[in-house]
Short mmCIF file of all heavy atoms in Angstrom, two decimals:
data_model
loop_
_atom_site.label_atom_id
_atom_site.label_comp_id
_atom_site.label_asym_id
_atom_site.label_seq_id
_atom_site.Cartn_x
_atom_site.Cartn_y
_atom_site.Cartn_z
N ARG A 331 2.36 -20.29 -13.90
CA ARG A 331 2.81 -21.68 -13.82
C ARG A 331 3.14 -22.06 -12.37
O ARG A 331 2.80 -23.15 -11.91
CB ARG A 331 4.05 -21.91 -14.69
CG ARG A 331 3.76 -21.98 -16.19
CD ARG A 331 4.95 -22.57 -16.93
NE ARG A 331 6.20 -21.87 -16.69
CZ ARG A 331 6.63 -20.84 -17.41
NH1 ARG A 331 5.91 -20.39 -18.42
NH2 ARG A 331 7.79 -20.26 -17.12
N ARG A 332 3.79 -21.16 -11.68
CA ARG A 332 4.19 -21.46 -10.30
C ARG A 332 2.99 -21.52 -9.36
O ARG A 332 3.06 -22.14 -8.29
CB ARG A 332 5.21 -20.43 -9.82
CG ARG A 332 6.57 -20.62 -10.47
CD ARG A 332 7.49 -19.49 -10.22
NE ARG A 332 8.83 -19.80 -10.68
CZ ARG A 332 9.82 -18.92 -10.73
NH1 ARG A 332 9.60 -17.69 -10.32
NH2 ARG A 332 11.01 -19.27 -11.16
N ALA A 333 1.90 -20.86 -9.73
CA ALA A 333 0.71 -20.90 -8.90
C ALA A 333 0.24 -22.33 -8.70
O ALA A 333 -0.17 -22.72 -7.60
CB ALA A 333 -0.40 -20.07 -9.52
N ALA A 334 0.30 -23.12 -9.76
CA ALA A 334 -0.12 -24.52 -9.66
C ALA A 334 0.79 -25.30 -8.72
O ALA A 334 0.32 -26.16 -7.95
CB ALA A 334 -0.14 -25.15 -11.04
N THR A 335 2.09 -25.01 -8.76
CA THR A 335 3.04 -25.67 -7.87
C THR A 335 2.73 -25.37 -6.41
O THR A 335 2.71 -26.26 -5.56
CB THR A 335 4.48 -25.21 -8.19
OG1 THR A 335 4.78 -25.55 -9.55
CG2 THR A 335 5.48 -25.86 -7.26
N VAL A 336 2.48 -24.09 -6.12
CA VAL A 336 2.20 -23.69 -4.75
C VAL A 336 0.89 -24.30 -4.27
O VAL A 336 0.79 -24.85 -3.16
CB VAL A 336 2.15 -22.15 -4.63
CG1 VAL A 336 1.76 -21.73 -3.22
CG2 VAL A 336 3.49 -21.54 -5.01
N GLU A 337 -0.15 -24.24 -5.09
CA GLU A 337 -1.45 -24.77 -4.69
C GLU A 337 -1.35 -26.26 -4.37
O GLU A 337 -1.91 -26.73 -3.37
CB GLU A 337 -2.48 -24.53 -5.79
CG GLU A 337 -3.87 -24.98 -5.40
CD GLU A 337 -4.91 -24.64 -6.45
OE1 GLU A 337 -4.53 -24.35 -7.60
OE2 GLU A 337 -6.11 -24.66 -6.12
N ALA A 338 -0.64 -27.00 -5.20
CA ALA A 338 -0.51 -28.44 -4.97
C ALA A 338 0.25 -28.73 -3.68
O ALA A 338 -0.15 -29.60 -2.89
CB ALA A 338 0.21 -29.09 -6.16
N ALA A 339 1.34 -27.99 -3.44
CA ALA A 339 2.13 -28.22 -2.23
C ALA A 339 1.34 -27.86 -0.98
O ALA A 339 1.38 -28.59 0.02
CB ALA A 339 3.42 -27.40 -2.29
N LEU A 340 0.62 -26.77 -1.01
CA LEU A 340 -0.15 -26.36 0.16
C LEU A 340 -1.31 -27.32 0.42
O LEU A 340 -1.71 -27.52 1.57
CB LEU A 340 -0.68 -24.94 -0.02
CG LEU A 340 0.36 -23.83 -0.15
CD1 LEU A 340 -0.31 -22.47 -0.23
CD2 LEU A 340 1.35 -23.85 1.01
N GLY A 341 -1.84 -27.90 -0.65
CA GLY A 341 -2.93 -28.85 -0.48
C GLY A 341 -2.53 -30.11 0.24
O GLY A 341 -3.39 -30.85 0.75
N GLU A 342 -1.22 -30.37 0.33
CA GLU A 342 -0.72 -31.57 1.01
C GLU A 342 -0.33 -31.31 2.48
O GLU A 342 0.14 -32.21 3.16
CB GLU A 342 0.50 -32.12 0.26
CG GLU A 342 0.18 -32.57 -1.16
CD GLU A 342 1.42 -33.00 -1.93
OE1 GLU A 342 2.53 -32.86 -1.36
OE2 GLU A 342 1.29 -33.44 -3.07
N LEU A 343 -0.57 -30.10 2.97
CA LEU A 343 -0.14 -29.76 4.32
C LEU A 343 -1.03 -30.37 5.40
O LEU A 343 -0.61 -30.48 6.56
CB LEU A 343 -0.11 -28.24 4.51
CG LEU A 343 0.95 -27.47 3.72
CD1 LEU A 343 0.83 -25.98 4.03
CD2 LEU A 343 2.34 -27.97 4.05
N GLY A 344 -2.27 -30.70 5.04
CA GLY A 344 -3.15 -31.28 6.03
C GLY A 344 -3.65 -30.27 7.05
O GLY A 344 -3.88 -30.62 8.21
N ALA A 345 -3.81 -29.03 6.63
CA ALA A 345 -4.26 -28.00 7.57
C ALA A 345 -5.76 -28.08 7.83
O ALA A 345 -6.27 -27.41 8.72
CB ALA A 345 -3.92 -26.61 7.02
N GLY A 346 -6.46 -28.87 7.04
CA GLY A 346 -7.90 -29.02 7.25
C GLY A 346 -8.74 -28.19 6.30
O GLY A 346 -9.94 -28.41 6.19
N THR A 347 -8.12 -27.24 5.60
CA THR A 347 -8.85 -26.44 4.63
C THR A 347 -8.03 -26.36 3.35
O THR A 347 -6.80 -26.47 3.37
CB THR A 347 -9.10 -25.01 5.14
OG1 THR A 347 -7.85 -24.38 5.43
CG2 THR A 347 -9.96 -25.02 6.39
N ALA A 348 -8.72 -26.15 2.24
CA ALA A 348 -8.02 -26.03 0.97
C ALA A 348 -7.28 -24.71 0.91
O ALA A 348 -7.77 -23.70 1.41
CB ALA A 348 -9.02 -26.13 -0.17
N PRO A 349 -6.10 -24.70 0.30
CA PRO A 349 -5.40 -23.41 0.14
C PRO A 349 -6.19 -22.51 -0.79
O PRO A 349 -6.98 -22.97 -1.63
CB PRO A 349 -4.07 -23.83 -0.49
CG PRO A 349 -4.35 -25.14 -1.16
CD PRO A 349 -5.37 -25.82 -0.31
N ARG A 350 -6.00 -21.22 -0.64
CA ARG A 350 -6.72 -20.28 -1.49
C ARG A 350 -5.78 -19.17 -1.92
O ARG A 350 -4.88 -18.78 -1.17
CB ARG A 350 -7.93 -19.72 -0.77
CG ARG A 350 -7.64 -19.11 0.60
CD ARG A 350 -8.94 -18.81 1.31
NE ARG A 350 -8.77 -18.05 2.52
CZ ARG A 350 -9.11 -18.48 3.72
NH1 ARG A 350 -9.62 -19.69 3.87
NH2 ARG A 350 -8.96 -17.69 4.78
N GLY A 351 -6.00 -18.65 -3.10
CA GLY A 351 -5.18 -17.57 -3.60
C GLY A 351 -5.16 -17.55 -5.11
O GLY A 351 -5.93 -18.25 -5.78
N ARG A 352 -4.27 -16.74 -5.66
CA ARG A 352 -4.07 -16.62 -7.10
C ARG A 352 -2.63 -16.22 -7.34
O ARG A 352 -2.02 -15.54 -6.50
CB ARG A 352 -4.99 -15.54 -7.70
CG ARG A 352 -6.46 -15.92 -7.82
CD ARG A 352 -7.31 -14.72 -8.21
NE ARG A 352 -6.80 -14.03 -9.38
CZ ARG A 352 -7.13 -12.78 -9.71
NH1 ARG A 352 -7.94 -12.08 -8.93
NH2 ARG A 352 -6.63 -12.22 -10.79
N GLY A 353 -2.10 -16.62 -8.47
CA GLY A 353 -0.74 -16.22 -8.80
C GLY A 353 0.23 -16.65 -7.72
O GLY A 353 0.31 -17.82 -7.38
N LEU A 354 0.95 -15.68 -7.15
CA LEU A 354 1.87 -15.98 -6.06
C LEU A 354 1.47 -15.28 -4.77
O LEU A 354 2.31 -14.74 -4.04
CB LEU A 354 3.31 -15.63 -6.47
CG LEU A 354 3.99 -16.68 -7.35
CD1 LEU A 354 5.40 -16.24 -7.76
CD2 LEU A 354 4.04 -18.04 -6.65
N VAL A 355 0.19 -15.30 -4.47
CA VAL A 355 -0.30 -14.96 -3.13
C VAL A 355 -1.22 -16.09 -2.71
O VAL A 355 -2.21 -16.40 -3.37
CB VAL A 355 -1.05 -13.61 -3.11
CG1 VAL A 355 -2.13 -13.52 -4.17
CG2 VAL A 355 -1.65 -13.36 -1.72
N TRP A 356 -0.87 -16.75 -1.60
CA TRP A 356 -1.62 -17.91 -1.14
C TRP A 356 -1.77 -17.88 0.37
O TRP A 356 -0.93 -17.35 1.09
CB TRP A 356 -0.92 -19.21 -1.57
CG TRP A 356 -1.08 -19.44 -3.04
CD1 TRP A 356 -0.28 -18.95 -4.04
CD2 TRP A 356 -2.16 -20.12 -3.68
NE1 TRP A 356 -0.79 -19.31 -5.27
CE2 TRP A 356 -1.94 -20.02 -5.09
CE3 TRP A 356 -3.28 -20.80 -3.21
CZ2 TRP A 356 -2.81 -20.59 -6.01
CZ3 TRP A 356 -4.14 -21.38 -4.14
CH2 TRP A 356 -3.90 -21.27 -5.52
N GLY A 357 -2.85 -18.48 0.82
CA GLY A 357 -3.11 -18.58 2.23
C GLY A 357 -3.58 -19.97 2.60
O GLY A 357 -4.26 -20.64 1.82
N VAL A 358 -3.20 -20.42 3.80
CA VAL A 358 -3.66 -21.69 4.35
C VAL A 358 -4.28 -21.39 5.70
O VAL A 358 -3.62 -20.83 6.58
CB VAL A 358 -2.52 -22.70 4.50
CG1 VAL A 358 -3.05 -24.01 5.07
CG2 VAL A 358 -1.82 -22.93 3.18
N GLU A 359 -5.53 -21.76 5.87
CA GLU A 359 -6.24 -21.48 7.11
C GLU A 359 -6.07 -22.62 8.10
O GLU A 359 -6.19 -23.79 7.74
CB GLU A 359 -7.72 -21.25 6.83
CG GLU A 359 -8.51 -20.83 8.06
CD GLU A 359 -9.95 -20.50 7.74
OE1 GLU A 359 -10.31 -20.46 6.54
OE2 GLU A 359 -10.72 -20.28 8.69
#
Side-chain angles (χ1 to χ4, degrees):
R331 285 196 304 270
R332 287 169 171 172
T335 300
V336 176
E337 183 175 18
L340 297 183
E342 297 175 356
L343 292 180
T347 59
R350 54 190 189 241
R352 286 171 51 199
L354 280 178
V355 52
W356 287 87
V358 181
E359 185 175 353

